[in-house]
Amino acid sequence: MKLLDLHNLSQKRLNALQSAGIYHPEDLLLFFPRRYLDKSNFKPIGLLRESDEAVSVAGKVQSVNVTGYKSKKRLEVIVQDGSGSLKVAYFKGWKYFINRYKTGEWVALYGKVKQYGRYMSMAHPEVDQISGPDDVDQFKTLTPIYPSNKHFSKAYITNQLVSNWIQQILNTTTVPEFLPEEILDRYNFPTRDQAFRDIHKPETKQQARQALERFKYEEFYLFELSMAKIKNIRISRADGKILEPGELTKKFFNEQLPFELTDGQKNSLKDIRTDLQSGKQMNRLIQGDVGAGKTVVAIGSMLMALDNGMQAAMMAPTEILAEQHYHTIKEFLEPLGINHRLITGSQKTALRRDIMSDIAGGTCQIAVGTHAIFQDKVEFNRLGLAVIDEQHRFGVKQRNEFLLKGDNPHLLVMSATPIPRSLAMTIYSDLDISIIEGLPGGRKPIKTAVRTDKERPGVYNFIEESIKKGDQVYTVYPLIEESEAMDLKDATMGFEKLKRRFPDFRIGLLHGRLKPEEKDGIMKRFSEGEIDILVSTTVIEVGVDVPNASIMIIEHAERFGLSQLHQLRGRIGRGRKQSYCILMPGQKLSKDGRYRLKMMIDTTDGFKIAEADLKLRGPGDFLGTKQSGLPEFKFGDILEDRLTLEKAKNDAWQIVRTDTDLSKPEHRSLKKVFKPYFKKKAEFFGIG
Ligand code: ADP
Ligand code: MG
């Protein structure tokens, strides 16, 4: 069957369907109801009370009248069931309904009850003709209510019409199954065909729920199947580069590093070493809260590559961060005679050409940079390890483009977004995960407080005292409505104000509009203690590390998301001193705003904050699914349907273990559906 076979399909309606993304009958089947009208709640007329909840009644038609004049005409029907009588009224479209009411015959009605004078009444109820008071089973079925859609309403595609079309499709089609029978049995899922029927015309709500569950499972299952397959392909790319840590790695850890590694750092490094020596391609995610010390782990890993004559590359989401990593690497690795280069988008052509030839020639051993690093023209000589910092800032797509750079380099991605472990394992299931728990020792927990504008003088006195004692201060302004201009204005005004208040202090202003050299210069001066107060927009947010800065003032704190506040706060509390985070809300706080600030005061635990943020915002927004290229599921919600996701994951990975190519006969239909699905995914994941 084709869309064109649908009844009552004008050209206009066909266009409307297509505008709504519906091209095939199956697309229409996949247009699911938003909710169901439950018409099974029958009441005797005598017991009806005014209510916002619609009810059903069955009654005999007593009288049918058209009253009023001209355009004000209306249809009035009196219906009676022995317990009382009900007035039914239609104002618009009454001509259409009048035929359904025949004096002396029975009707079933569904609508909201209102009291007018002595009558209980229903305006515009849904009506069916029935043969008597007990003939209500047909009427009782749940009525699907489809999502409203502006294309539909313009073409007069009513809810009823959508429902009719879908029934027409279901009457002429049998939708094939693709899930293995074993899975249908295990979870008691309806077949795909039955599930569509249960969604669009359920007998009970439970039936509709179970059908929906099947569709959620099905989309998670296909997704996880592709993750398993991608991982399989990567693992099979055994490249035989056994990487034994050598001189450089040992020197770095034994001679250069001024501190003991934490247990978390040691464990992550051990995991990485095992991966590298396994002879298979590493795909590892290191998760650790802000300040957990991920950079050192990255450097250690890169050195293992260098010890084996390979190059390493590290990619960061912003120029500031890339530059900072560059400086850290310089500090630690220059004494070891390691050649490293910085590559960013804003470099002059001549310089860039020089760097690229260094990378291509292999003299550059470590390349650090922004996404400029994986652009087409950059060619590595023998890239052995690719590190991606703050990976949640990159799309999955970018992550994989990076992988195409070398000859299947090992991949290490790092993230400070502490998403719950089980969730991470399902959505990043093509990666192995190490978690760095806890922060390096000797740090005092940050103290966080909320101060109002009235208390500003006190706050300023406090900063004054602290700076005199040698502390440094961040003052952060939020991004206002995505407008960089406004954003800048706020920060600039704050900067001017601080300069007036503290004429003797050295105050710097950092924002996204500065040239990279200027930003770099300011950051450098701040980190070398030549700036006392750094006024900044959110460009400061990611990963910047100045241990001597121990105070952070966050202006308009209510405008930041919880995770962002946590990330910002992570810039301080990195040294041995007591650090303070002062949240200054701009105006009245919303309920959410107050909750966010309270969470910030209550805890510094990134996982707790992430959970709270996840609940506040929902996973799509939290994980930035849109920009991160994480899967967007049509039916399932990775948080709410976590259990289903986990089941689907386990089942999918199991099947890839036992029947990698889905070549068993019982997987034939699955293979047919999976093949085109995977083709798209594989392109996306950089697997040719
Ligand atoms: P993040 O995990 O947020 O990227 P960084 O790698 O920037 O954290 O490390 C934060 C700070 O902690 C840096 O100044 C770093 O030198 C320091 N650091 C890292 N590991 C340790 C450790 N084991 N002991 C003490 N300080 C450490
Ligand atoms: Mg970092």
Side-chain angles (χ1 to χ4, degrees):
M1 128 146 229
K2 295 191 292 293
L3 270 195
L4 284 172
D5 298 331
L6 294 176
H7 300 315
N8 292 318
L9 184 78
S10 58
Q11 184 61 43
K12 190 170 175 178
R13 284 175 172 164
L14 181 64
N15 293 345
L17 285 178
Q18 292 178 343
S19 306
I22 294 167
Y23 297 93
H24 308 285
E26 168 137 341
D27 299 334
L28 200 52
L29 292 183
L30 285 166
F31 189 67
F32 283 6
R34 181 164 50 86
R35 61 191 177 89
Y36 300 92
L37 280 188
D38 183 358
K39 296 194 283 190
S40 62
N41 182 19
F42 272 83
K43 289 230 160 122
I45 291 174
L47 294 183
L48 292 180
R49 292 290 170 267
E50 190 164 305
S51 160
D52 272 344
E53 215 160 289
V55 292
S56 299
V57 297
K60 197 175 190 176
V61 178
Q62 288 263 290
S63 63
V64 180
N65 287 305
V66 177
T67 59
Y69 295 102
K70 290 190 175 158
S71 64
K72 293 267 169 66
K73 271 190 183 163
R74 64 179 190 270
L75 170 67
E76 277 188 9
V77 181
I78 306 291
V79 171
Q80 198 242 62
D81 73 348
S83 72
S85 23
L86 175 74
K87 187 189 258 178
V88 175
Y90 292 88
F91 304 93
K92 276 192 202 142
W94 58 268
K95 281 182 186 151
Y96 175 72
F97 286 97
I98 195 164
N99 294 328
R100 311 234 185 141
Y101 294 94
K102 302 225 162 63
T103 312
E105 290 186 5
W106 282 77
V107 287
L109 304 171
Y110 174 81
K112 283 183 199 166
V113 176
K114 274 206 142 201
Q115 182 156 13
Y116 282 114
R118 64 189 177 91
Y119 269 113
M120 285 298 167
S121 76
M122 263 186 196
H124 289 259
E126 290 192 27
V127 54
D128 260 6
Q129 292 169 297
I130 53 177
S131 63
D134 298 326
D135 177 27
V136 289
D137 285 354
Q138 280 290 324
F139 191 75
K140 272 184 176 174
T141 50
L142 296 163
T143 308
I145 303 297
Y146 292 95
S148 56
N149 178 304
K150 61 175 192 295
H151 303 294
F152 282 16
S153 45
K154 269 194 213 144
Y156 302 104
I157 300 177
T158 59
N159 195 69
Q160 185 66 50
L161 186 56
V162 172
S163 175
N164 291 349
W165 278 342
I166 288 174
Q167 291 311 317
Q168 188 193 340
I169 297 169
L170 288 174
N171 287 339
T172 51
T173 336
T174 308
V175 182
E177 182 58 75
F178 67 80
L179 286 179
E181 211 170 306
E182 183 207 353
I183 281 172
L184 297 185
D185 287 347
R186 185 176 315 158
Y187 302 110
N188 211 357
F189 284 149
T191 61
R192 200 156 199 270
D193 185 70
Q194 187 59 44
F196 279 120
R197 293 168 202 276
D198 292 351
I199 284 281
H200 292 292
K201 203 174 179 186
E203 272 162 27
T204 62
K205 285 195 173 161
Q206 169 56 24
Q207 205 180 43
R209 259 195 300 275
Q210 184 64 0
L212 184 60
E213 186 64 19
R214 185 225 135 95
F215 286 108
K216 288 177 178 175
Y217 178 95
E218 157 187 319
E219 69 175 344
F220 287 148
Y221 186 75
L222 288 174
F223 170 72
E224 288 293 345
L225 213 51
S226 62
M227 296 301 255
K229 214 151 158 116
I230 283 167
K231 184 153 186 185
N232 244 1
I233 293 175
R234 288 202 185 129
I235 286 176
S236 68
R237 290 177 173 172
D239 47 16
K241 298 179 259 188
I242 309 285
L243 296 168
E244 277 293 339
E247 276 311 296
L248 294 174
T249 314
K250 280 181 201 145
K251 267 195 181 150
F252 168 65
F253 284 118
N254 298 338
E255 294 168 22
Q256 293 298 315
L257 207 59
F259 42 70
E260 266 289 300
L261 292 177
T262 64
D263 286 347
Q265 287 170 320
K266 281 186 198 154
N267 290 337
S268 302
L269 280 161
K270 208 186 286 164
D271 290 343
I272 291 166
R273 191 171 155 177
T274 310
D275 288 351
L276 294 180
Q277 294 177 345
S278 72
K280 292 170 187 159
Q281 190 184 27
M282 172 171 79
N283 283 278
R284 186 165 290 277
L285 166 67
I286 305 286
Q287 254 198 53
D289 207 347
V290 275
K294 294 182 289 293
T295 316
V296 167
V297 172
I299 294 178
S301 316
M302 293 198 288
L303 289 175
M304 294 186 208
L306 265 54
D307 270 332
N308 285 265
M310 310 270 169
Q311 291 170 299
M314 183 166 177
M315 177 165 79
T318 63
E319 296 213 350
I320 290 188
L321 195 58
E323 282 155 20
Q324 184 188 296
H325 284 325
Y326 175 75
H327 291 302
T328 309
I329 287 171
K330 189 187 211 73
E331 190 187 315
F332 284 132
L333 303 187
E334 210 157 58
L336 300 181
I338 289 170
N339 187 333
H340 57 288
R341 309 272 339 225
L342 175 68
I343 176 160
T344 65
S346 56
Q347 284 161 334
K348 296 243 160 58
T349 325
L351 175 59
R352 175 78 78 86
R353 207 172 287 142
D354 181 50
I355 296 169
M356 287 190 336
S357 85
D358 242 18
I359 295 176
T363 27
C364 165
Q365 295 163 283
I366 294 183
V368 186
T370 57
H371 62 278
I373 217 169
F374 66 70
Q375 275 156 13
D376 283 350
K377 288 187 195 137
V378 182
E379 266 181 46
F380 284 85
N381 188 290
R382 42 186 196 291
L383 182 61
L385 172 69
V387 181
I388 302 182
D389 193 19
E390 308 288 346
Q391 77 108 18
H392 55 285
R393 291 302 188 94
F394 292 101
V396 179
K397 200 168 163 135
Q398 285 167 305
R399 187 220 283 170
N400 291 298
E401 267 171 318
F402 200 22
L403 275 184
L404 294 176
K405 268 293 149 204
D407 182 18
N408 300 328
H410 295 284
L411 177 68
L412 183 66
V413 301
M414 307 197 291
S415 175
T417 308
I419 53 177
R421 189 188 175 95
S422 64
L423 185 56
M425 283 173 56
T426 31
I427 54 179
Y428 300 129
S429 57
D430 61 321
L431 298 171
D432 297 304
I433 301 180
S434 304
I435 294 182
I436 305 185
E437 311 236 22
L439 301 178
R443 291 188 192 162
K444 298 200 174 80
I446 301 168
K447 288 189 179 156
T448 303
V450 174
R451 292 289 178 266
T452 61
D453 216 35
K454 274 197 207 115
E455 296 166 299
R456 192 174 287 274
V459 172
Y460 282 178
N461 290 340
F462 173 69
I463 330 186
E464 188 163 17
E465 293 298 305
S466 309
I467 294 177
K468 279 182 183 157
K469 278 189 257 161
D471 284 348
Q472 287 170 281
V473 179
Y474 290 105
T475 306
V476 186
Y477 285 84
L479 195 75
I480 299 164
E481 288 168 0
E482 313 274 308
S483 143
E484 240 191 284
M486 286 284 282
D487 177 26
L488 185 57
K489 191 174 140 219
D490 245 32
T492 312
M493 273 166 50
F495 172 67
E496 297 298 336
K497 200 158 83 186
L498 283 167
K499 274 211 297 207
R500 281 196 299 277
R501 170 67 179 76
F502 301 113
D504 298 337
F505 291 157
R506 298 156 303 176
I507 304 178
L509 175 62
L510 187 73
H511 55 79
R513 292 242 179 128
L514 292 175
K515 291 209 187 83
E517 310 91 81
E518 294 173 316
K519 275 193 258 181
D520 191 26
I522 290 170
M523 265 329 287
K524 200 161 164 224
R525 281 169 54 216
F526 187 60
S527 70
E528 286 171 0
E530 285 164 23
I531 289 177
D532 303 306
I533 304 178
L534 182 64
V535 181
S536 161
T537 58
T538 42
V539 293
I540 200 73
E541 182 189 350
V542 188
V544 172
D545 185 40
V546 180
N548 188 52
S550 60
I551 299 175
M552 174 172 283
I553 298 174
I554 304 183
E555 302 281 352
H556 299 294
E558 79 285 359
R559 292 191 192 156
F560 292 93
L562 198 41
S563 294
Q564 202 183 11
L565 284 173
H566 178 68
Q567 290 276 336
L568 282 170
R569 182 170 60 180
R571 302 303 111 227
I572 57 171
R574 296 184 158 234
R576 297 192 165 271
K577 278 185 290 187
Q578 175 62 56
S579 289
Y580 298 90
C581 176
I582 303 167
L583 307 171
M584 308 220 37
Q587 309 136 0
K588 263 199 232 143
L589 286 174
S590 66
K591 197 168 146 245
D592 273 6
R594 206 165 328 148
Y595 176 75
R596 288 197 293 266
L597 299 192
K598 184 176 172 319
M599 275 304 290
M600 285 295 290
I601 294 173
D602 287 352
T603 184
T604 51
D605 180 333
F607 279 90
K608 274 193 196 144
I609 288 192
E611 289 266 10
D613 201 22
L614 209 52
K615 281 205 193 98
L616 276 180
R617 293 202 279 165
D621 202 14
F622 174 81
L623 299 166
T625 21
K626 282 220 167 63
Q627 51 161 7
S628 71
L630 274 174
E632 279 188 74
F633 295 106
K634 188 168 154 64
F635 304 118
D637 175 312
I638 48 184
L639 252 203
E640 264 166 34
D641 303 312
R642 224 190 273 190
L643 290 178
T644 310
L645 175 54
E646 241 158 77
K647 280 185 215 157
K649 180 196 168 185
N650 292 336
D651 298 341
W653 284 69
Q654 177 61 28
I655 227 175
V656 170
R657 267 192 294 276
T658 53
D659 183 15
T660 313
D661 296 320
L662 302 179
S663 46
K664 289 188 184 165
E666 63 265 37
H667 299 148
R668 192 175 299 141
S669 341
L670 177 60
K671 186 172 186 168
K672 227 170 106 189
V673 171
F674 181 65
K675 235 176 135 176
Y677 177 92
F678 183 69
K679 194 159 178 278
K680 267 198 231 152
K681 275 273 180 293
E683 269 163 29
F684 184 72
F685 276 81
I687 302 252

